[in-house]
Amino acid sequence: MDLNCSKKTLLAGFCSIFLLGYSPAMYAGGANAPLSVQQTKKITGTVSDAMGPVIGASVVIKGTSNGVATDFDGNFSLNASQGQTLVISYIGYLTKEVKVDGRATYEITLEEDKKMLDEVVVVGYGTMKKSDISGSSVSLGEKAMKGSIITSLDQSLQGRAAGVTAVSTSGAPGSASSIRVRGQATINSNAEPLYVIDGVIVQSGSTSGSGLGFGSRLDNGSASSVSPLSTINPADIVSMEILKDASATAIYGAQGANGVVLITTKHGKAGEARFSYDGMAAWSRQTKRLDMMNLREFADYYNDFVKYGIGGLKEDPYYSDVSLLGKGTNWQDAIFQTAFQHQHQFSAQGGTEKIQYYLSAGYMNQEGTIIGSKFDRLSVRANLDAQLKPWLKIGLNATFSNSNDNLKLTDGAEGIVNFALTSIPEAPIYDIEGGYASFARENYSIHNPIAKAMEQSNKLNRKKLNGNIFADITPIKNLTWHAEIGYDLGYSFAEGFYNTIDLPNWKETNESTWQKNNNTFWQLKNYVTYSNTFAGKHSVTAMVGQECWESKWDYERVANSNLPSDAVHNPKLGQNTPSVNMGFGSSSMASFFTRWTYSYDNRYNATYTYRYDGSSNFGPNKRWAGFHSLAASWRFTNEKFFEKSPLSKFISNGKIRVGWGQTGNSNINSYVWGITMQQVYSDLGIGYRPQNVPNLDVQWEKQEQWDLGIDLGFLNDRINLTIDWYQKESKDMLMELQLPIYEGTHGNDNSKLKAPMGNYGHIRNSGLEISLNTHPLIGKFQWDSEAQISFNKNKLIALNGTASAAIMGYAQWGATLVTLSDVGESLYSFYGYVTDGVYKDLEDLETSPKPKKYPADGNFNSANTVWIGDLKFKDLNGDGVIDENDRTNIGSPMPKFTYGWTNTFRYMNFDLSIFINGTYGNKVMNLTKRGLTTMSSAWSNQHTDVNGRARLEPINPNIVYTDGSKWYQHADNIRVSNPETSIPRAIIGDPNDNDRISDRYVEDGSYLRIKNISLGYTVPKKFLNKFGLENLRVYCNIQNLATITNYSGYDPEIGVSTMSPNVYGVDYGRYPSPTTYSFGLNMSF
Amino acid sequence: MKLSNIKYITLSVIVGLALTSCEDFLDRPNEDGYNDGNYFQNDAQTKASTNTLYNSPWYDFLSRGFFKIPEVMSGNLYMGGEPYMTFTVNGTDDALVWTSWSLWAVNAQANTIYNRLKTANASDAVKSAAMGECLAWKAMAYFYLVRIFGDVPIVHDNSSEIAAGDYNNKVKVNKADVYEYIIMTLEKAIDLLPEKNDAGRIDRWAAKGLLAKVYLTKSGVNANGNGQRDASDLANAAKNAKEVIQESGKKLMSNYEDLFKGENNKCEESLFGWRWSAEQANYTCGNCLMSELAMSGFDEFQSWGDWTAPSTDLQDAFGVSPLDDPSQRSDVDKRRKATMMMAGDTYSQWWQDKGGFDYLRFLYDKDYAPGSNEGLQSATGANVAKHQYGNNSDHQKTFGISAAKQCSSQATHVLRLADVYLVYVEAMIGNNTSTSDATALDAFYQVRHRAVAGFNMPTSVTLDQVLKERRLELALEGDYWFDLVRMSYYDMNKAINTIKNQRRNGYYGLGDLYKSYYDSKRTTWVVDNSKMYYETNTPIPNVTASVFTLPFPDEDVVYNPHLLEASQHVDVRSEFAY
């Protein structure tokens, strides 16, 4: 009773606090009545900030209209009664509340609101006051990254910034996220934004499995789960600036078309050395299982094949008495594990007025939730700044990291997930001696999926050294020359080792493959900035600069097999013929750029940028291109007329922005304009073949973008609203020409003639972004809320200049067409047939449109013609025949909108943050399910959904056929007993192609996910002092706690495919994102 | 002030340098290999430029379509659950799509290299031979295309078609015209090719042999499934075949089985052959048939051919049965064992390091064959022997290089001299039922006598005899289906009935039969008819005229809806020229 009672009180308390925050006026109104009878007295005070008195600050008694403004000396006086609250506010400062007590005078110090307008932000080749920016960009602070468990900084972008879509490619540890800024603007393999860390362009290097040296062992798409950004320690980052519109990215010219992410790392501050330690331990697991058949169910399923004479299957004595069987092996439980991870970061920072330092070392180690997958990273960073002379400042940023991935092939038909799901439950994992079991029956054997996962290792070691050295020279006042040399040296070592497999029905020699990649990148840049304010109101900044960079790469690959043992992984030990391969190449770019900004009286701002780029990726005819951009903004709240208007009390900040700009894309392989002769081996000797169709005129992809935006701050910026509308057009999109097979441009890379690369596409993205940041509660109980929602519409406007052109995307190994990007439609739309139930009986078959396997001679045959219980597809063009022309767009993987909402609560020393994100309106093609419901083999485990398949029954069970045949061989005596089903009959060989790509596999991929909940407690200083600690915060965090979705697979978050380019949103055994529980602490001393 | 002067000078120097050196800085053709501009500079380079046509672009065909289309559909090979068994292949079928990729890639590369060779910096003889090889392979690719897909578009010059942008408007051309196009391509190839080329390369006789086979196939194309074959085509087939037989100087290899041994990769009987290499640098240059057709554990690399079994019907054709006691099997045809392994078979050329290969021991002795599946997997009691090289040690011994995953140096014969011999016989029979032409009888005798020692010179040969001989001689070499396609041109009913009368299913109980025989130390062979019998549950597939043409891959139909329209007549000789 007592307990209940106190619970209720607590609840009531919470509720009232909540209400108090939400509608202070109501609460105050109620409380005011009795107070008004109290005695009021005159109180006086001074409002000041760090610099001195604040003039014109408003001092109001909370809940009343009773208030005054401070005078020239910051003084105020008014009548108030004890217990009332003074609210002191001023633009640019955090609002402060003070309780009226017994005192007669009050000294009030306002703190500047750091989030406010005069914040300086990084804009690329310089910084700008946030208030002067006319382009569209989003900032992400340290907090956003700290709030969640991230191993790679791209993961932190999810749901945090309007207009930025981040989808993780895989749930593997340290895996990549694909980031799209304002929609998919190119079908080029690299649609990721440009990342710039402290001014140095991050070299993503090769991210495909084959580029790294794993061949097709990580699948053969142009993307893999390996993240180029996972080599960077997110703990060293202080802020990220995402440049979205062309006027912001245009300064990056040719490299800015996919958006730019500017990353600033931590720098030291003058003062005593300050040490900190951040540590975290976490456990992850997969919470969802697909409902697969267990052994008994599978035996029933098998026996059904035998009963109806399907595929000539024999009765299997093992399955004869189902009641004797157990549940068999649960292969899903076998491949998923609870995974442990931990992270540690030490840092030291400090310095003098002239020299500051920041040093850090971090280590993380993460296991994957699929057995055998792992990631670890060791990183160190040193950032130094030194003001050597009044006119000379130099600095150095350097980071080194060493990371190790242990990768598994999870996606695709040959991936662990699919293997585990389709392995029949009868097969055991281990034999009696504890070794891997292998399994064979007549006509069937499986390769143990656990052995497949554990005996094949793909290890990737990456080392990366990057950073820069710069000098800022100020020869005369207002003029700064910034000179900088940046570098990025990358090394990767991919070691593939297949252990000797020596199982009864599966024997393989071991195999060792090494590939070492080296990348050397340097950039040199110089820019001069002049900045001045004339006549107090005309503020001008002009910048002119130059940049050039060169990127060189080389690789060497050695492979051999049949090593004497698995103990030492060195291809040299192999006893077969070694294969050796090597290559090298380079690319370069030279650029000149300028930016002019003008600001009048903090009201009118304008920016013009121009960049002229030359890239070695283009032929001599089209090597150079120029990119312009213009943007303007108007801060109407600074206008006199507005300040006088009553709205000014309500709207504290308002800015309207308009921008237009051009950016480019040169992200293609070098020398596609000429013909490369590829080396080929043959029994006739080594030969060389022309590899591609050349295109001398391949040139810059140019993108144009319009942006209209408004920034509004209400109630002294307690509410901030930003709305942006944009339209961006990628004309001359760089892509491979899409050609029909008969032009010979399809197939294995080593077999086909490569289609020419050129400027063949035109894509338009338009959208709306809304961010709403509010501080509903300030004071002791604080509540911050940040919400954002992004709408994007994507349309392929033209292709190849021909009518029937389209971009095709395949499921895997290039044969199953799943997506078709057709002119006039959104990119990557799923393409296939529309289902219309099942054929119920012979009459239904005969009266419906004719499928391809309809027998011309009318002789229906259950094994090789369409049959009762097969899927009926819609005859969309109404020609009476169901053929290729009846395929259509069956859904788009592109969401209608994506959203994120972060709520942070702080009370006393507790902080609680809840982050929700999601997508709406996108479809997922569930190819995993396709394999699990195909029912075309008796040797592949199936989803229990197939229990609802079309079941056949005799119309007249009493007919006795004189030739001894059975009713199920006579189409005229069969009907479906469950005609409402949408799942076809089971039939080996699937003559009607029931599992063709159709809307049967398209599911709603919308989801709402509680992405992150974190609860922290900051230990009060008074306890810490005893231990010499300055700060100590402990926290716990749950990531991916729950996902609300209709999607039937493991995880609706499906993005780019590792299996195939031109495909998006296809789930074929994707590594699902786990739920992670973590505990950690931040400590400084 | 002085200091800042220095700064200005430095600045301007840097900017100036950057400006002046830009063009050099940005000019970067490919660095680690040759390009079109610096290759084709001498005879050796020019000659090597056609090597790729002998393997890599064919790989996607070899890896599936090469045996699924001609062998599984024709009833020579049993693959449970395959749509090729039941004639239910769709336009999305992997093997079909890959076949299409591959054959069109051969055409594209042959066209591209052919055009580039025109301006190669090499002697006329070398240039001409290389250009001839391009056209001969192009003709071979089209020959496969027209026999698999029927009416197909003609892609004469890829680069110019792509540049012109009308590649999505192409129409299908009547197959009769496609055959004419192949013939005109081969005529030019014969002009260009030398009488004698390097071992393993195509020469004039090879092209003539192919021309004979093309004429023979074309002869029925206008008969609409029921009629007479064209006399002049038949005469041309006979004429070209006879020239090859009598004038090329090439002879059949004396022992049939030796044809498929690696040391005879480039034997003179192999007129057209895919010259694979186990070099791993680009794996499509290697032969992957072993991994597709060999039983798991046959060599050290992965293979999964346990269930891809020579069919009951093919065994019938050879006059053998898996129920025969191996010690008493009447195995008169040497080709049977070279084509498929059955209970009791041993092969001395394989597993030489283990004293030779023994099929039953492989199935049941784990010490001997630790990588094998347990017991018999094949539903027909036989496994594929052709296209196998043995284990890795055999491969190394033969080719001096180890095989690798899905990669060996074993050549694949695409057109053999023996094939041309039988083409001659069939052409001489023509619209009759038999021939007694002396050259034809001798050709038939040479082929059959090589395999069946007791076979004597016949006095006449019937069409059915030749067709059966072709099936046995070329079994599993990717040919028999095309004999049926050729037949369907002029006698559709016979082609349909041939398939309908096949025994395409497997057996029950052979595993027990083999095992008890092996366990009894090969002394007791007991066939229990109630448990060991030919399976008749699986219905005979429904065969119609449409099965003789496979559908175009779905994706092409998307790009080019004309492919669903009726084909057109094109006067290829006036439209195209070499």
Side-chain angles (χ1 to χ4, degrees), chain A residues 303-464:
Chain A
N303 290 340
D304 249 26
F305 277 99
V306 178
K307 192 172 150 196
Y308 295 112
I310 296 170
L313 283 181
K314 274 191 306 187
E315 219 166 281
D316 188 326
Y318 184 82
Y319 294 146
S320 58
D321 188 349
V322 174
S323 63
L324 295 180
L325 299 171
K327 289 196 159 180
T329 303
N330 184 332
W331 286 104
Q332 294 183 82
D333 289 349
I335 60 159
F336 291 137
Q337 64 178 0
T338 298
F340 175 65
Q341 61 169 301
H342 56 111
Q343 295 187 16
H344 311 276
Q345 155 104 354
F346 293 95
S347 69
Q349 59 161 311
T352 65
E353 284 302 314
K354 297 217 160 136
I355 297 176
Q356 297 98 34
Y357 59 86
Y358 170 84
L359 301 166
S360 80
Y363 176 72
M364 68 157 306
N365 187 317
Q366 187 181 1
E367 278 182 331
T369 48
I370 288 182
I371 52 171
S373 53
K374 264 187 203 146
F375 177 74
D376 72 64
R377 174 182 62 219
L378 178 70
S379 64
V380 291
R381 170 171 285 279
N383 288 354
L384 296 173
D385 300 276
Q387 192 76 45
L388 297 183
K389 298 274 181 195
W391 52 268
L392 175 65
K393 180 186 171 186
I394 62 164
L396 170 136
N397 300 305
T399 183
F400 171 77
S401 73
N402 182 25
S403 67
N404 294 295
D405 289 84
N406 211 333
L407 302 153
K408 297 290 169 195
L409 173 59
T410 58
D411 284 22
E414 306 276 306
I416 293 172
V417 173
N418 196 50
F419 262 119
L421 290 169
T422 53
S423 290
I424 60 174
E426 182 189 341
I429 307 172
Y430 301 105
D431 60 18
I432 314 162
E433 284 150 22
Y436 293 116
S438 64
F439 181 79
R441 300 286 283 273
E442 193 168 330
N443 276 328
Y444 173 75
S445 82
I446 67 161
H447 289 174
N448 188 323
I450 305 301
K452 259 206 145 60
M454 302 310 285
E455 301 295 300
Q456 306 185 345
S457 80
N458 301 305
K459 289 184 179 169
L460 177 66
N461 172 254
R462 285 176 292 167
K463 294 184 174 68
K464 197 175 181 80

Side-chain angles (χ1 to χ4, degrees), chain A residues 711-728:
Chain A
D711 300 327
L712 290 172
F714 301 96
L715 302 175
N716 263 326
D717 288 0
R718 251 173 97 170
I719 300 171
N720 281 297
L721 177 69
T722 298
I723 302 175
D724 274 276
W725 170 87
Y726 61 85
Q727 173 158 313
K728 64 175 181 179

Side-chain angles (χ1 to χ4, degrees), chain A residues 41-47 59 61 66-71 74-80 86 104:
Chain A
K41 61 173 183 178
K42 184 173 181 170
I43 56 170
T44 59
T46 319
V47 179
V59 181
I61 294 170
N66 185 8
V68 294
T70 55
D71 63 15
N75 296 325
F76 68 90
S77 76
L78 80 170
N79 289 323
L86 299 179

Side-chain angles (χ1 to χ4, degrees), chain A residues 170-218:
Chain A
S170 154
S175 66
S177 295
S178 57
I179 312 292
R180 297 290 177 268
V181 177
R182 292 188 162 175
Q184 183 93 21
T186 175
I187 65 150
N188 254 306
S189 57
N190 199 345
E192 302 294 327
L194 179 76
Y195 292 90
V196 180
I197 299 185
D198 293 328
V200 184
I201 298 164
V202 176
Q203 297 302 297
S204 58
S206 187
T207 54
S208 72
S210 61
L212 289 165
F214 292 112
S216 59
R217 291 167 175 187
L218 306 182

Side-chain angles (χ1 to χ4, degrees), chain A residues 311-314 391 441-445 473 475 479 481 498 503-505 507-509 511 522 526 528 546 548-550 553 561 575-577 579 581 583-590 592 614-616 623-624 671 675-690 693 737-744 746-748 750-753 756 800 802 804 806 808 810 813-815 820 831 853 855 857 859 861 863-865 884-885 887 988-989 991 993, chain B residues 3-4 7-8 11 14 18-19 22-23 25-32 34-36 39-40 48-49 51-52 54-57 59-60 81 86-90 92 94 98 100-101 104-105 108-109 112-113 153 155 158 161-162 165 167-168 170 199-201 265-266 275-277 279-285 296 300-302 307 366 370-374 376-377 392 396 401-402 405 508 535 538-542 544 553-560 563-564:
Chain A
L313 283 181
K314 274 191 306 187
W391 52 268
R441 300 286 283 273
E442 193 168 330
N443 276 328
Y444 173 75
S445 82
I473 300 158
L479 184 82
W481 170 24
Y498 283 14
L503 295 172
N505 65 328
K507 193 175 159 60
E508 256 182 75
T509 53
E511 187 185 335
W522 60 262
N526 286 285
V528 180
Q546 157 278 335
C548 56
W549 59 252
E550 183 184 41
W553 54 268
S561 50
Q575 297 166 69
N576 286 344
T577 313
S579 91
N581 204 348
F584 51 89
S586 68
S587 61
S588 59
M589 183 176 265
F592 304 91
S615 165
S616 67
R623 202 159 267 161
W624 289 88
Y671 196 59
I675 300 175
T676 300
M677 296 295 290
Q678 186 193 18
Q679 192 180 31
V680 284
Y681 287 87
S682 82
D683 202 11
L684 304 170
I686 293 173
Y688 292 85
R689 66 159 190 134
V693 179
L737 189 62
Q738 304 294 304
L739 292 167
I741 297 176
Y742 51 73
E743 291 299 341
H746 291 244
N748 260 306
N750 293 317
S751 305
K752 69 182 179 187
L753 186 67
N800 292 12
T802 41
S804 53
M808 309 217 175
Y810 300 89
W813 314 115
L820 184 84
Y831 186 68
K853 288 297 177 297
D857 55 5
N859 292 330
N861 176 317
N864 88 330
T865 69
E884 291 87 348
N885 290 329
R887 289 179 298 178
I988 286 171
D993 204 9
Chain B
L3 202 71
S4 45
K7 284 179 262 175
Y8 291 131
L11 175 70
I14 288 171
L19 272 170
C22 269
E23 279 312 315
F25 184 65
L26 295 178
D27 192 41
R28 292 167 195 257
N30 66 332
E31 294 163 22
D32 59 345
Y34 301 104
N35 60 53
D36 183 56
Y39 195 78
F40 293 103
S49 73
N51 290 6
T52 185
Y54 285 84
N55 57 30
S56 179
Y59 183 88
D60 289 330
T86 48
F87 305 102
T88 51
V89 180
N90 295 300
T92 53
D94 285 2
W98 296 0
S100 172
W101 289 350
W104 289 112
Q109 298 202 18
T112 307
I113 299 169
V155 180
N158 299 66
E161 271 183 23
I162 290 170
Y167 41 81
N168 282 338
K170 297 190 79 74
R201 287 184 183 274
N265 260 356
K266 302 177 197 167
R275 312 298 177 199
W276 307 105
S277 162
E279 283 282 356
Q280 278 278 282
N282 25 33
Y283 74 97
T284 55
C285 297
S296 172
E300 288 79 350
F301 306 99
Q302 269 192 48
W307 304 278
K366 274 285 156 195
S372 72
N373 276 315
E374 286 176 23
L376 180 72
Q377 304 295 321
N392 193 36
Q396 233 154 350
I401 178 174
S402 65
K405 262 182 195 158
Y508 285 147
E535 180 260 300
T538 308
I540 297 160
N542 184 19
T544 57
D554 278 10
E555 48 186 305
D556 273 4
V557 177
V558 173
Y559 282 133
N560 184 354
L563 298 178
L564 291 174

Side-chain angles (χ1 to χ4, degrees), chain A residues 28-49:
Chain A
N32 225 5
L35 282 175
S36 61
V37 298
Q38 280 189 6
Q39 182 96 43
T40 62
K41 61 173 183 178
K42 184 173 181 170
I43 56 170
T44 59
T46 319
V47 179
S48 58
D49 65 2

Side-chain angles (χ1 to χ4, degrees), chain A residues 392-667:
Chain A
L392 175 65
K393 180 186 171 186
I394 62 164
L396 170 136
N397 300 305
T399 183
F400 171 77
S401 73
N402 182 25
S403 67
N404 294 295
D405 289 84
N406 211 333
L407 302 153
K408 297 290 169 195
L409 173 59
T410 58
D411 284 22
E414 306 276 306
I416 293 172
V417 173
N418 196 50
F419 262 119
L421 290 169
T422 53
S423 290
I424 60 174
E426 182 189 341
I429 307 172
Y430 301 105
D431 60 18
I432 314 162
E433 284 150 22
Y436 293 116
S438 64
F439 181 79
R441 300 286 283 273
E442 193 168 330
N443 276 328
Y444 173 75
S445 82
I446 67 161
H447 289 174
N448 188 323
I450 305 301
K452 259 206 145 60
M454 302 310 285
E455 301 295 300
Q456 306 185 345
S457 80
N458 301 305
K459 289 184 179 169
L460 177 66
N461 172 254
R462 285 176 292 167
K463 294 184 174 68
K464 197 175 181 80
L465 176 67
N466 78 338
N468 61 356
I469 301 172
F470 64 88
D472 283 324
I473 300 158
T474 314
I476 53 171
K477 204 183 162 205
N478 298 328
L479 184 82
T480 312
W481 170 24
H482 180 90
E484 180 183 322
I485 293 174
Y487 56 90
D488 188 317
L489 310 176
Y491 161 86
S492 76
F493 170 34
E495 188 209 284
F497 196 88
Y498 283 14
N499 283 346
T500 308
I501 306 272
D502 191 3
L503 295 172
N505 65 328
W506 180 18
K507 193 175 159 60
E508 256 182 75
T509 53
N510 55 13
E511 187 185 335
S512 177
T513 311
W514 281 18
Q515 180 164 326
K516 295 184 175 183
N517 291 0
N518 275 302
N519 296 287
T520 310
F521 169 86
W522 60 262
Q523 70 179 32
L524 168 71
K525 76 186 166 191
N526 286 285
Y527 56 87
V528 180
T529 312
Y530 175 80
S531 169
N532 205 351
T533 306
F534 301 97
K537 286 185 171 174
H538 304 271
S539 167
V540 174
T541 307
M543 184 270 287
V544 185
Q546 157 278 335
E547 181 178 58
C548 56
W549 59 252
E550 183 184 41
S551 174
K552 288 187 166 188
W553 54 268
D554 63 79
Y555 74 91
E556 58 213 60
R557 176 187 173 82
V558 183
N560 203 347
S561 50
N562 200 10
L563 286 68
S565 91
D566 296 339
V568 180
H569 297 187
N570 181 348
K572 182 179 183 295
L573 302 171
Q575 297 166 69
N576 286 344
T577 313
S579 91
V580 178
N581 204 348
M582 39 190 60
F584 51 89
S586 68
S587 61
S588 59
M589 183 176 265
S591 317
F592 304 91
F593 47 83
T594 184
R595 173 170 57 218
W596 300 75
T597 57
Y598 169 73
S599 172
Y600 175 73
D601 195 23
N602 278 332
R603 280 184 280 160
Y604 307 100
N605 303 297
T607 306
Y608 167 74
T609 60
Y610 177 71
R611 179 155 173 147
Y612 187 57
D613 275 320
S615 165
S616 67
N617 287 348
F618 299 112
N621 306 343
K622 310 272 182 168
R623 202 159 267 161
W624 289 88
F627 305 91
H628 300 269
S629 90
L630 261 173
S633 63
W634 175 40
R635 154 109 28 84
F636 57 86
T637 42
N638 281 6
E639 294 287 354
K640 286 264 155 38
F641 69 80
F642 187 85
E643 283 169 358
K644 280 180 197 152
S645 81
L647 270 178
S648 64
K649 282 190 189 135
F650 186 60
I651 300 178
S652 43
N653 174 40
K655 184 159 82 168
I656 293 170
R657 295 175 277 108
V658 56
W660 167 87
Q662 297 170 315
T663 48
N665 189 349
S666 56
N667 214 328

